[in-house]
């Protein structure tokens, strides 16, 4: 018997979704947002001479206390990867939902690299300075994730499509503005963009949490 035939014989055609997996990953997504916000808040008080309105989150991720924000970034990255796993587990669309899954993975990896590199393009001339390119990647991946997941999310509820499309539109309009702001307010604006990204994450977390409460979803 060929390996394919053996597999077809052993596996049931009906593959059940795992509610506890979805629940756990949904909680991880929420925790990721809380951890990032909490790490930034703690670092705002701990890092000396830091102005949270003028200084960016990247400034908190460099220097003696960089580990505080790095922990938040790594947890946030894990939340994004967890959502990608949930989206792959509960595939609610066609090609665009698949694109959204990849965008979540890329977004999570980019956030991880931003924390791991400990290099923020601030006149650093040692090695390959890539921070700004990672930031560009985050902007693109966030945009793709919002719009690519919207149609599939509407199968769970039309309000998810409204939220994701709305978040994507606001992100497209808002994100490029950051690069043209005066440096005395860009820290505050960056925190606003971080909060906007959490709208995507928390919306998906809610979607998969609601899905986890269904015991017979097939």
């Amino acid at each position: 018997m060929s390996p394919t035939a053996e597999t077809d014989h052993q596996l049931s055609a009906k593959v059940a979704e795992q509610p506890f997996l979805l629940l756990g990953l949904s909680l991880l997504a929420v925790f990721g947002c809380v951890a990032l916000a909490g790490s930034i808040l703690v670092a705002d008080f701990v890092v000396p001479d830091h102005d949270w309105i003028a200084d960016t989150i990247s400034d908190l991720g460099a220097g003696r206390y960089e580990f505080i924000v790095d922990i938040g970034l790594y947890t946030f990255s894990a939340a994004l990867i967890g959502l990608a796993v949930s989206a792959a587990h509960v595939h609610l669309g066609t090609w665009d939902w698949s694109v959204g899954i990849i965008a979540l993975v890329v977004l999570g990896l980019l956030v991880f690299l931003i924390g791991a590199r400990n290099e923020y393009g601030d006149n650093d001339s040692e090695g390959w300075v890539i921070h700004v390119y990672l930031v560009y990647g985050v902007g693109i991946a966030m945009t793709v994730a919002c719009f690519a997941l919207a149609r599939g999310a509407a199968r769970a509820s039309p309000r998810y499509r409204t939220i994701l499309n709305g978040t994507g539109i606001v992100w497209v309009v808002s994100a490029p503005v950051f690069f043209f702001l005066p440096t005395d307010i860009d820290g505050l604006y960056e925190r606003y963009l971080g909060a906007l990204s959490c709208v995507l994450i928390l919306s998906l977390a809610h979607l998969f949490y609601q899905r986890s409460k269904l015991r017979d979803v097939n």
Side-chain angles (χ1 to χ4, degrees):
M1 183 180 293
S2 67
T4 301
E6 181 71 17
T7 300
D8 290 341
H9 175 72
Q10 291 176 339
L11 290 179
S12 170
K14 180 179 179 180
V15 179
E17 295 172 9
Q18 301 300 311
F20 292 109
L21 174 65
L22 295 175
L23 175 60
L25 294 176
S26 298
L27 294 177
L28 174 62
V30 175
F31 179 69
C33 292
V34 173
L36 180 59
S39 68
I40 294 170
L41 182 62
V42 170
D44 280 338
F45 286 97
V46 171
V47 175
D49 302 320
H50 178 77
D51 184 348
W52 66 274
I53 296 179
D55 297 333
T56 65
I57 298 172
S58 297
D59 295 325
L60 294 175
R64 178 181 177 184
Y65 299 101
E66 64 186 21
F67 68 93
I68 299 176
V69 170
D70 283 350
I71 291 173
L73 287 172
Y74 294 151
T75 309
F76 195 70
S77 171
L80 288 163
I81 300 297
L83 284 178
V85 173
S86 294
H89 186 61
V90 183
H91 203 293
L92 296 179
T94 54
W95 65 270
D96 48 351
W97 185 266
S98 299
V99 170
I101 294 171
I102 296 172
L104 287 174
V105 173
V106 171
L107 186 56
L109 292 176
L110 289 172
V111 171
F112 179 86
L113 286 174
I114 287 174
R117 283 284 295 185
N118 287 328
E119 175 274 293
Y120 299 98
D122 47 357
N123 299 321
D124 185 358
S125 60
E126 297 183 4
W128 188 23
V129 179
I130 65 172
H131 177 73
V132 67
Y133 302 109
L134 297 177
V135 172
Y136 291 155
V138 166
I140 295 172
M142 175 70 182
T143 302
V144 173
C146 286
F147 292 122
L149 294 169
R151 182 170 65 147
R155 295 180 60 188
S157 172
R159 64 179 176 176
Y160 292 121
R161 176 173 53 195
T162 301
I163 293 172
L164 295 186
N165 280 332
T167 302
I169 292 171
V170 175
W171 179 268
V172 169
V173 173
S174 300
V177 175
F178 174 79
F179 297 101
F180 303 98
L181 290 175
T183 57
D184 56 348
I185 62 170
D186 58 355
L188 177 62
Y189 197 83
E190 189 180 49
R191 286 160 173 78
Y192 152 70
L193 291 177
L196 186 59
S197 68
C198 285
V199 175
L200 167 67
I201 294 174
L202 295 177
S203 297
L204 292 174
H206 185 269
L207 187 159
F208 295 125
Y209 168 72
Q210 293 296 114
R211 188 79 177 182
S212 73
K213 295 193 294 184
L214 301 177
R215 288 299 180 264
D216 185 9
V217 294
N218 285 300

